[in-house]
Amino acid sequence: MRDLLQIGWLLSCLLLGPATATLADGAVAVPNAGFEDVDEKTGLPLGWTAWAANNTCAFTLAMAHSGVACARVTDTSSTVSQGLRSPRVPIAPGSAYSATAWVRVTELQAGGFALYLEFWRGDQRIQDTAVSTTRAGEWTQLRVDGTAPPDADSATLLVYGGSATVGEAYFDDIALSAAP
Ligand SMILES: [Ca+2]
């Protein structure tokens, strides 16, 4: 009987182990967070949407922080913003969250490249916070913190070059987690 209990305990460890190891404590699963999947119809990372009507951002195999692919944000205009927004993920209202992304700026004539953490109520964006970098050449991790408003129901991450920005940056391995 004791042996059977031990076998049962070992089996449950084996079965539960991989699932619990996939995401760290507090992590919120964001679809296609590593930009490995492409939408063949649009050329965008699957599930992500373009900020600009005249979009110049794309899925790319040109480089990657991990895996084989990432997202490229190309901004050739000093008056138009460019960016890619993640699928919406459900969040707990009133809770604190941290968003991170790896970015490698390869060209920068003006401005900088940013990571936004956005909170939504239905289809309305009700809060956003951002961090940006002008550092070019190396992969750099960006982190932005925000607390979900009491009436928020979802969050998105936005990788972005603002209106004044002219340059090109690669983003990879975005993540969202609830503060402990
Ligand atoms: Ca990747």
Side-chain angles (χ1 to χ4, degrees):
M1 185 61 187
R2 194 174 157 208
D3 285 349
L4 280 174
L5 284 173
Q6 283 183 339
I7 288 167
W9 180 80
L10 282 170
L11 275 174
S12 65
C13 287
L14 286 170
L15 292 171
L16 294 173
T20 51
T22 304
L23 288 171
D25 280 350
V28 179
V30 179
N32 203 13
F35 301 103
E36 295 297 300
D37 300 318
V38 63
D39 184 334
E40 298 286 358
K41 285 184 195 142
T42 61
L44 297 178
L46 188 68
W48 290 64
T49 51
W51 171 275
N54 186 17
N55 171 62
T56 51
C57 304
F59 167 94
T60 180
L61 296 166
M63 66 176 76
H65 180 259
S66 73
V68 298
C70 71
R72 187 183 66 227
V73 176
T74 307
D75 189 338
T76 58
S77 163
S78 60
T79 57
V80 173
S81 305
Q82 292 287 341
L84 292 168
R85 178 176 279 144
S86 76
R88 275 191 230 167
V89 294
I91 50 87
S95 294
Y97 288 89
S98 290
T100 55
W102 286 89
V103 60
R104 185 174 176 185
V105 179
T106 53
E107 183 197 335
L108 191 62
Q109 293 172 35
F113 286 92
L115 171 67
Y116 276 75
L117 172 56
E118 306 172 303
F119 291 106
W120 300 75
R121 179 180 59 235
D123 289 335
Q124 186 185 3
R125 186 174 75 162
I126 54 176
Q127 182 179 298
D128 63 273
T129 49
V131 62
S132 69
T133 184
T134 57
R135 185 178 179 221
E138 300 294 314
W139 284 104
T140 305
Q141 193 178 37
L142 299 176
R143 173 182 164 159
V144 59
D145 299 326
T147 298
D151 52 349
D153 53 34
S154 68
T156 52
L157 278 66
L158 171 69
V159 296
Y160 184 74
S163 55
T165 296
V166 177
E168 191 163 76
Y170 295 79
F171 287 83
D172 205 354
D173 295 328
I174 62 106
L176 180 64
S177 62

Tab-separated table of all heavy atoms in Angstrom, residues 119-154:
chain	number	residue	atom	x	y	z
A	119	PHE	N	-3.704	49.087	-20.342
A	119	PHE	CA	-4.862	48.457	-19.698
A	119	PHE	C	-6.141	48.918	-20.389
A	119	PHE	O	-6.261	50.078	-20.796
A	119	PHE	CB	-4.905	48.801	-18.205
A	119	PHE	CG	-3.797	48.152	-17.423
A	119	PHE	CD1	-2.720	48.896	-16.961
A	119	PHE	CD2	-3.815	46.782	-17.165
A	119	PHE	CE1	-1.685	48.299	-16.255
A	119	PHE	CE2	-2.788	46.173	-16.464
A	119	PHE	CZ	-1.721	46.936	-16.004
A	120	TRP	N	-7.095	47.974	-20.498
A	120	TRP	CA	-8.312	48.193	-21.277
A	120	TRP	C	-9.547	47.894	-20.450
A	120	TRP	O	-9.533	47.013	-19.588
A	120	TRP	CB	-8.338	47.255	-22.500
A	120	TRP	CG	-7.194	47.448	-23.434
A	120	TRP	CD1	-5.896	47.038	-23.230
A	120	TRP	CD2	-7.211	48.091	-24.701
A	120	TRP	NE1	-5.126	47.389	-24.307
A	120	TRP	CE2	-5.902	48.034	-25.228
A	120	TRP	CE3	-8.221	48.711	-25.454
A	120	TRP	CZ2	-5.575	48.569	-26.467
A	120	TRP	CZ3	-7.887	49.244	-26.696
A	120	TRP	CH2	-6.578	49.177	-27.189
A	121	ARG	N	-10.622	48.637	-20.741
A	121	ARG	CA	-11.972	48.280	-20.303
A	121	ARG	C	-12.767	48.074	-21.582
A	121	ARG	O	-13.042	49.037	-22.313
A	121	ARG	CB	-12.590	49.394	-19.456
A	121	ARG	CG	-14.018	49.084	-18.999
A	121	ARG	CD	-14.603	50.219	-18.157
A	121	ARG	NE	-14.613	51.458	-18.905
A	121	ARG	CZ	-14.050	52.613	-18.483
A	121	ARG	NH1	-13.463	52.684	-17.315
A	121	ARG	NH2	-14.102	53.688	-19.228
A	122	GLY	N	-13.057	46.807	-21.889
A	122	GLY	CA	-13.671	46.515	-23.191
A	122	GLY	C	-12.733	46.947	-24.301
A	122	GLY	O	-11.563	46.579	-24.306
A	123	ASP	N	-13.247	47.754	-25.234
A	123	ASP	CA	-12.452	48.201	-26.375
A	123	ASP	C	-11.748	49.525	-26.129
A	123	ASP	O	-11.153	50.094	-27.042
A	123	ASP	CB	-13.352	48.346	-27.613
A	123	ASP	CG	-13.786	46.995	-28.143
A	123	ASP	OD1	-13.065	46.000	-27.889
A	123	ASP	OD2	-14.836	46.935	-28.801
A	124	GLN	N	-11.845	50.039	-24.904
A	124	GLN	CA	-11.291	51.359	-24.611
A	124	GLN	C	-10.005	51.239	-23.802
A	124	GLN	O	-9.987	50.624	-22.730
A	124	GLN	CB	-12.316	52.183	-23.829
A	124	GLN	CG	-11.891	53.617	-23.612
A	124	GLN	CD	-12.858	54.385	-22.722
A	124	GLN	OE1	-13.842	53.827	-22.215
A	124	GLN	NE2	-12.583	55.653	-22.509
A	125	ARG	N	-8.926	51.844	-24.308
A	125	ARG	CA	-7.683	51.877	-23.544
A	125	ARG	C	-7.815	52.937	-22.460
A	125	ARG	O	-8.094	54.100	-22.763
A	125	ARG	CB	-6.496	52.201	-24.468
A	125	ARG	CG	-5.161	52.091	-23.738
A	125	ARG	CD	-3.982	52.256	-24.678
A	125	ARG	NE	-3.798	53.656	-25.054
A	125	ARG	CZ	-2.664	54.139	-25.574
A	125	ARG	NH1	-1.645	53.332	-25.826
A	125	ARG	NH2	-2.563	55.410	-25.897
A	126	ILE	N	-7.639	52.543	-21.195
A	126	ILE	CA	-7.889	53.482	-20.106
A	126	ILE	C	-6.617	53.869	-19.362
A	126	ILE	O	-6.637	54.787	-18.553
A	126	ILE	CB	-8.938	52.919	-19.108
A	126	ILE	CG1	-8.531	51.540	-18.595
A	126	ILE	CG2	-10.305	52.870	-19.748
A	126	ILE	CD1	-9.492	50.989	-17.525
A	127	GLN	N	-5.514	53.170	-19.617
A	127	GLN	CA	-4.252	53.568	-18.972
A	127	GLN	C	-3.091	52.982	-19.749
A	127	GLN	O	-3.180	51.860	-20.251
A	127	GLN	CB	-4.206	53.057	-17.531
A	127	GLN	CG	-2.939	53.469	-16.780
A	127	GLN	CD	-2.952	52.956	-15.347
A	127	GLN	OE1	-3.816	53.317	-14.555
A	127	GLN	NE2	-2.002	52.098	-15.017
A	128	ASP	N	-1.995	53.747	-19.837
A	128	ASP	CA	-0.785	53.183	-20.431
A	128	ASP	C	0.437	53.783	-19.773
A	128	ASP	O	0.437	54.941	-19.372
A	128	ASP	CB	-0.755	53.409	-21.945
A	128	ASP	CG	-0.721	54.867	-22.318
A	128	ASP	OD1	-1.803	55.479	-22.430
A	128	ASP	OD2	0.395	55.417	-22.452
A	129	THR	N	1.444	52.939	-19.611
A	129	THR	CA	2.742	53.387	-19.108
A	129	THR	C	3.800	52.833	-20.043
A	129	THR	O	3.588	51.797	-20.681
A	129	THR	CB	3.010	52.911	-17.667
A	129	THR	OG1	2.730	51.505	-17.587
A	129	THR	CG2	2.141	53.631	-16.670
A	130	ALA	N	4.938	53.523	-20.125
A	130	ALA	CA	5.941	53.136	-21.123
A	130	ALA	C	7.351	53.345	-20.613
A	130	ALA	O	7.589	54.137	-19.698
A	130	ALA	CB	5.738	53.932	-22.407
A	131	VAL	N	8.264	52.617	-21.216
A	131	VAL	CA	9.690	52.835	-21.016
A	131	VAL	C	10.326	52.783	-22.400
A	131	VAL	O	9.861	52.045	-23.270
A	131	VAL	CB	10.305	51.781	-20.063
A	131	VAL	CG1	10.178	50.379	-20.633
A	131	VAL	CG2	11.759	52.100	-19.746
A	132	SER	N	11.362	53.598	-22.616
A	132	SER	CA	11.973	53.610	-23.946
A	132	SER	C	13.488	53.621	-23.835
A	132	SER	O	14.048	53.888	-22.769
A	132	SER	CB	11.489	54.813	-24.757
A	132	SER	OG	12.011	55.998	-24.217
A	133	THR	N	14.120	53.315	-24.958
A	133	THR	CA	15.576	53.308	-24.999
A	133	THR	C	16.078	53.959	-26.278
A	133	THR	O	15.385	53.945	-27.304
A	133	THR	CB	16.132	51.868	-24.907
A	133	THR	OG1	17.560	51.926	-24.855
A	133	THR	CG2	15.718	51.027	-26.098
A	134	THR	N	17.273	54.541	-26.186
A	134	THR	CA	17.956	55.060	-27.371
A	134	THR	C	19.263	54.298	-27.587
A	134	THR	O	20.053	54.652	-28.452
A	134	THR	CB	18.278	56.561	-27.211
A	134	THR	OG1	19.071	56.734	-26.031
A	134	THR	CG2	17.012	57.381	-27.084
A	135	ARG	N	19.470	53.259	-26.783
A	135	ARG	CA	20.707	52.494	-26.859
A	135	ARG	C	20.701	51.614	-28.112
A	135	ARG	O	19.790	50.814	-28.296
A	135	ARG	CB	20.848	51.625	-25.609
A	135	ARG	CG	22.152	50.874	-25.522
A	135	ARG	CD	22.230	50.082	-24.226
A	135	ARG	NE	23.487	49.351	-24.170
A	135	ARG	CZ	23.589	48.100	-23.729
A	135	ARG	NH1	22.521	47.465	-23.300
A	135	ARG	NH2	24.769	47.496	-23.711
A	136	ALA	N	21.719	51.753	-28.937
A	136	ALA	CA	21.773	50.995	-30.181
A	136	ALA	C	22.851	49.922	-30.112
A	136	ALA	O	23.837	50.057	-29.392
A	136	ALA	CB	22.044	51.927	-31.358
A	137	GLY	N	22.629	48.833	-30.849
A	137	GLY	CA	23.661	47.812	-31.049
A	137	GLY	C	23.409	46.507	-30.327
A	137	GLY	O	23.391	45.465	-30.952
A	138	GLU	N	23.217	46.561	-28.997
A	138	GLU	CA	23.106	45.320	-28.209
A	138	GLU	C	21.645	45.036	-27.863
A	138	GLU	O	20.838	45.944	-27.789
A	138	GLU	CB	23.893	45.471	-26.904
A	138	GLU	CG	25.371	45.748	-27.089
A	138	GLU	CD	26.088	44.579	-27.716
A	138	GLU	OE1	25.871	43.431	-27.278
A	138	GLU	OE2	26.850	44.804	-28.673
A	139	TRP	N	21.350	43.768	-27.616
A	139	TRP	CA	20.056	43.421	-27.042
A	139	TRP	C	19.968	43.995	-25.634
A	139	TRP	O	20.890	43.838	-24.830
A	139	TRP	CB	19.873	41.897	-26.974
A	139	TRP	CG	19.552	41.260	-28.284
A	139	TRP	CD1	20.396	40.536	-29.079
A	139	TRP	CD2	18.282	41.266	-28.960
A	139	TRP	NE1	19.733	40.100	-30.198
A	139	TRP	CE2	18.439	40.523	-30.154
A	139	TRP	CE3	17.033	41.826	-28.666
A	139	TRP	CZ2	17.389	40.333	-31.059
A	139	TRP	CZ3	15.996	41.642	-29.568
A	139	TRP	CH2	16.176	40.902	-30.748
A	140	THR	N	18.891	44.701	-25.344
A	140	THR	CA	18.662	45.347	-24.053
A	140	THR	C	17.275	44.946	-23.562
A	140	THR	O	16.336	44.885	-24.353
A	140	THR	CB	18.696	46.883	-24.218
A	140	THR	OG1	19.934	47.241	-24.826
A	140	THR	CG2	18.557	47.586	-22.882
A	141	GLN	N	17.143	44.685	-22.262
A	141	GLN	CA	15.820	44.361	-21.734
A	141	GLN	C	15.137	45.614	-21.201
A	141	GLN	O	15.716	46.353	-20.400
A	141	GLN	CB	15.888	43.306	-20.632
A	141	GLN	CG	14.494	42.748	-20.321
A	141	GLN	CD	14.496	41.657	-19.277
A	141	GLN	OE1	15.265	41.706	-18.328
A	141	GLN	NE2	13.650	40.659	-19.449
A	142	LEU	N	13.926	45.842	-21.668
A	142	LEU	CA	13.100	46.941	-21.173
A	142	LEU	C	12.112	46.388	-20.167
A	142	LEU	O	11.601	45.288	-20.338
A	142	LEU	CB	12.325	47.596	-22.319
A	142	LEU	CG	13.137	48.236	-23.435
A	142	LEU	CD1	12.209	48.753	-24.526
A	142	LEU	CD2	13.993	49.365	-22.884
A	143	ARG	N	11.830	47.188	-19.122
A	143	ARG	CA	10.827	46.774	-18.146
A	143	ARG	C	9.960	47.966	-17.781
A	143	ARG	O	10.465	49.058	-17.514
A	143	ARG	CB	11.503	46.242	-16.879
A	143	ARG	CG	10.485	45.950	-15.772
A	143	ARG	CD	11.145	45.476	-14.505
A	143	ARG	NE	10.202	45.575	-13.400
A	143	ARG	CZ	10.310	44.889	-12.273
A	143	ARG	NH1	11.318	44.069	-12.091
A	143	ARG	NH2	9.414	45.041	-11.330
A	144	VAL	N	8.664	47.742	-17.765
A	144	VAL	CA	7.728	48.791	-17.365
A	144	VAL	C	6.714	48.204	-16.389
A	144	VAL	O	6.244	47.086	-16.569
A	144	VAL	CB	7.057	49.438	-18.601
A	144	VAL	CG1	6.300	48.413	-19.434
A	144	VAL	CG2	6.134	50.564	-18.184
A	145	ASP	N	6.421	48.962	-15.338
A	145	ASP	CA	5.478	48.526	-14.304
A	145	ASP	C	4.200	49.355	-14.380
A	145	ASP	O	4.239	50.536	-14.727
A	145	ASP	CB	6.092	48.709	-12.904
A	145	ASP	CG	7.356	47.893	-12.734
A	145	ASP	OD1	7.425	46.786	-13.314
A	145	ASP	OD2	8.274	48.365	-12.031
A	146	GLY	N	3.088	48.734	-14.026
A	146	GLY	CA	1.825	49.464	-13.987
A	146	GLY	C	0.817	48.723	-13.121
A	146	GLY	O	0.889	47.500	-12.985
A	147	THR	N	-0.086	49.494	-12.539
A	147	THR	CA	-1.164	48.883	-11.744
A	147	THR	C	-2.467	48.994	-12.516
A	147	THR	O	-2.836	50.087	-12.969
A	147	THR	CB	-1.288	49.589	-10.383
A	147	THR	OG1	-0.067	49.424	-9.677
A	147	THR	CG2	-2.437	48.991	-9.564
A	148	ALA	N	-3.136	47.857	-12.669
A	148	ALA	CA	-4.389	47.834	-13.425
A	148	ALA	C	-5.443	48.682	-12.721
A	148	ALA	O	-5.676	48.498	-11.524
A	148	ALA	CB	-4.874	46.401	-13.581
A	149	PRO	N	-6.091	49.607	-13.432
A	149	PRO	CA	-7.186	50.375	-12.829
A	149	PRO	C	-8.286	49.437	-12.336
A	149	PRO	O	-8.429	48.324	-12.841
A	149	PRO	CB	-7.684	51.245	-13.981
A	149	PRO	CG	-6.537	51.329	-14.936
A	149	PRO	CD	-5.822	50.007	-14.813
A	150	PRO	N	-9.086	49.894	-11.362
A	150	PRO	CA	-10.128	49.034	-10.772
A	150	PRO	C	-11.160	48.539	-11.780
A	150	PRO	O	-11.808	47.525	-11.542
A	150	PRO	CB	-10.795	49.932	-9.727
A	150	PRO	CG	-10.017	51.180	-9.660
A	150	PRO	CD	-8.990	51.209	-10.729
A	151	ASP	N	-11.318	49.276	-12.897
A	151	ASP	CA	-12.322	48.878	-13.892
A	151	ASP	C	-11.703	48.242	-15.141
A	151	ASP	O	-12.383	48.040	-16.142
A	151	ASP	CB	-13.190	50.074	-14.284
A	151	ASP	CG	-12.361	51.277	-14.691
A	151	ASP	OD1	-11.126	51.251	-14.470
A	151	ASP	OD2	-12.924	52.238	-15.235
A	152	ALA	N	-10.402	47.916	-15.079
A	152	ALA	CA	-9.744	47.288	-16.238
A	152	ALA	C	-10.077	45.804	-16.300
A	152	ALA	O	-10.281	45.163	-15.267
A	152	ALA	CB	-8.239	47.479	-16.139
A	153	ASP	N	-10.148	45.273	-17.519
A	153	ASP	CA	-10.400	43.836	-17.657
A	153	ASP	C	-9.357	43.105	-18.490
A	153	ASP	O	-9.339	41.874	-18.531
A	153	ASP	CB	-11.806	43.573	-18.206
A	153	ASP	CG	-12.085	44.331	-19.484
A	153	ASP	OD1	-11.141	44.511	-20.284
A	153	ASP	OD2	-13.241	44.743	-19.696
A	154	SER	N	-8.503	43.858	-19.206
A	154	SER	CA	-7.474	43.186	-19.997
A	154	SER	C	-6.270	44.094	-20.154
A	154	SER	O	-6.325	45.289	-19.840
A	154	SER	CB	-8.013	42.776	-21.376
A	154	SER	OG	-8.278	43.922	-22.153
